[in-house]
Amino acid sequence: MTRPIAKAGVMSIKPYVGGESELDGRDDIVKLSSNEGAFGPSPLAQDAYAKSAAELHRYPDGGSTELRRTIGEIHGLNPAQIVCGSGSDELISLLCGAYAGEGDEVLYSQFGFLMYAISAKAAGATPVWATETDLTANVDALLAAVTPRTRLLFLANPNNPTGTYLPANEVARLRANLRDDILLVIDAAYAEYVVKGDYSPGIDLVDAGDNVIMTRTFSKIHGLGGIRLGWAYGPETVIDVLNRARGPFNVNAAALSAGAAAIRDQPFTAHCRDENLRVLAWTYQRLQNLGLNVTESVGNFLLVCFDNDPDRSAATADSYLKENGIIVRNVASYGLPDCLRITIGTDQEMHRVVDVLSRFMGKNSE
Ligand SMILES: Cc1ncc(COP(=O)(O)O)c(C=O)c1O
């Protein structure tokens, strides 16, 4: 008997496992496993979402016109160079499908976001990674990994799950030394959290040529992961490709309304950024005081690495945190079995994390 068989690339995918959200028998869970915004969505976005309910029988505007206009206004960008997607995941997948296929390579850095490899395989292409240095993308290693088959290079800046970033001059050096026909995708999902003077989300590089695209998301600082919304800013030629490849109504009506309200609420965004900076610095220091190996992060999460002593390992810490109602992200699937990724939550949530890890390490965090 024969049956339908999917393409080999698709069958080689190890399905993405999202952050856990439930623990049996507990109703006081602190969920710090998916880098969701600590303060949820802006009240203005919640209102806009609720108002969209009465119109849900209508198809959404397939061109995301009003949302693109709003993004353009807030970020000073030409709306014609913006495309919206059902999460930036969709845009990553569309880019792989449109620019890479059988025999092509999609390049990213060692601990780069998992969806690059998954989307490359789904497109039939071969994912290739380049070694990082100190958990940070290495431009020379990326350039050395380029082959005649390379079509796309994904750079998460800052990167998830490490929280590290490349300064603007390093990203510019990467672009300058890449073949012109390789599309550089700068995934700036966490850009709004970064306050470093030498950081750029990549808009300047998009404007400098026709082979860089920047992706952004509403899932992190804007707290809208549940409605799936992302956007990309790129050269009109690349935006045209994505508009051809995407579904006609790829962004739902509620997301269009809530997204526009969220991005207009700049005081809320600034509050989320400032609080994250404060709580991130506090948590970093406290975890360091416990003798843990914490990577400096510019995002809304910390990569925390443990000993391989079984009593103090990442797996044992993960179980202990769960026993105490705290869910963080096991990052073994990223090749980091000794580490956990902890999203920065509210003050109260991070005090709970530090208290539990203090007990786990048998040390005082102060
Ligand atoms: C670096 C990076 N890019 C993209 C995404 C996907 O975001 P979205 O929810 O917009 O699909 C994430 C989500 O965790 C991420 O960490």
Side-chain angles (χ1 to χ4, degrees):
M1 210 170 78
T2 56
R3 60 185 170 84
I5 303 285
K7 292 186 291 183
V10 175
M11 297 317 290
S12 73
I13 294 172
K14 220 171 141 200
Y16 182 88
V17 180
E20 292 170 86
S21 56
E22 283 177 24
L23 293 175
D24 281 347
R26 288 199 78 116
D27 55 8
D28 61 341
I29 291 168
V30 174
K31 180 177 187 270
L32 302 172
S33 55
S34 299
N35 295 346
E36 295 151 341
F39 300 99
S42 144
L44 300 182
Q46 295 182 43
D47 284 353
Y49 176 83
K51 282 194 187 118
S52 70
E55 290 292 315
L56 289 183
H57 57 305
R58 304 279 179 215
Y59 277 86
D61 166 17
S64 303
T65 317
E66 179 56 23
L67 177 60
R68 288 188 299 108
R69 201 188 58 70
T70 309
I71 295 170
E73 186 187 311
I74 299 293
H75 288 277
L77 304 174
N78 174 7
Q81 287 180 252
I82 295 172
V83 63
C84 297
S86 176
S88 49
D89 280 349
E90 185 195 17
L91 299 166
I92 292 167
S93 157
L94 288 171
L95 283 163
C96 286
Y99 286 92
E102 203 77 33
D104 296 328
E105 290 175 355
V106 173
L107 182 57
Y108 54 96
S109 71
Q110 187 175 4
F111 303 113
F113 182 48
L114 277 181
M115 285 311 297
Y116 310 147
I118 290 178
S119 296
K121 285 181 181 173
T126 305
V128 175
W129 55 263
T131 317
E132 296 197 5
T133 309
D134 297 332
L135 297 169
T136 307
N138 178 319
V139 168
D140 296 308
L142 283 164
L143 291 171
V146 169
T147 76
R149 298 177 161 207
T150 310
R151 302 295 315 274
L152 283 160
L153 194 166
F154 283 95
L155 178 74
N157 202 30
N159 185 45
N160 166 23
T162 54
T164 56
Y165 77 103
L166 284 185
N169 60 352
E170 275 293 274
V171 186
R173 185 167 76 85
L174 174 63
R175 180 61 271 175
N177 290 285
L178 269 183
R179 270 198 339 264
D180 287 347
D181 65 311
I182 297 174
L183 180 60
L184 173 62
V185 185
I186 303 176
D187 176 347
Y190 301 91
E192 294 86 353
Y193 288 108
V194 189
V195 295
K196 301 277 184 188
D198 60 357
Y199 172 77
S200 162
I203 290 168
D204 41 352
L205 274 188
V206 172
D207 291 341
D210 53 11
N211 49 21
V212 179
I213 185 164
M214 170 192 71
T215 59
R216 304 285 283 258
T217 182
F218 283 81
S219 303
K220 307 301 171 186
I221 208 159
H222 297 301
L224 290 174
I227 55 169
R228 315 302 304 122
L229 185 60
W231 57 282
Y233 172 68
E236 287 194 35
T237 46
V238 181
I239 298 300
D240 173 54
V241 167
L242 294 175
N243 276 325
R244 290 168 193 261
R246 70 178 173 82
F249 304 106
N250 62 327
V251 179
N252 70 75
L256 290 175
S257 305
I263 207 161
R264 264 192 232 108
D265 193 350
Q266 291 181 288
F268 180 82
T269 308
H271 168 74
C272 295
R273 183 196 56 228
D274 294 348
E275 276 298 290
N276 179 68
L277 279 175
R278 188 178 64 74
V279 182
L280 176 79
W282 180 87
T283 311
Y284 175 84
Q285 193 53 57
R286 292 301 180 107
L287 297 182
Q288 278 229 319
N289 294 351
L290 293 178
L292 293 166
N293 184 354
V294 194
T295 302
E296 255 182 75
S297 168
V298 295
N300 68 332
F301 54 91
L302 283 167
L303 186 72
V304 184
C305 300
F306 294 73
D307 276 355
N308 42 26
D309 161 7
D311 288 344
R312 293 265 185 276
S313 70
T316 317
D318 195 17
S319 306
Y320 191 71
L321 284 160
K322 282 197 183 114
E323 278 165 32
N324 285 279
I326 298 169
I327 309 179
V328 301
R329 185 61 152 265
N330 167 322
V331 282
S333 55
Y334 279 92
L336 295 164
D338 294 333
C339 309
L340 297 175
R341 191 196 67 196
I342 305 180
T343 301
I344 299 301
T346 60
D347 251 335
Q348 204 188 2
E349 289 171 331
M350 299 324 285
H351 272 88
R352 223 171 115 184
V353 169
V354 168
D355 285 350
V356 171
L357 285 177
S358 301
R359 288 207 297 281
F360 177 74
M361 297 297 287
K363 287 192 185 157
N364 186 336
S365 70
E366 284 174 37

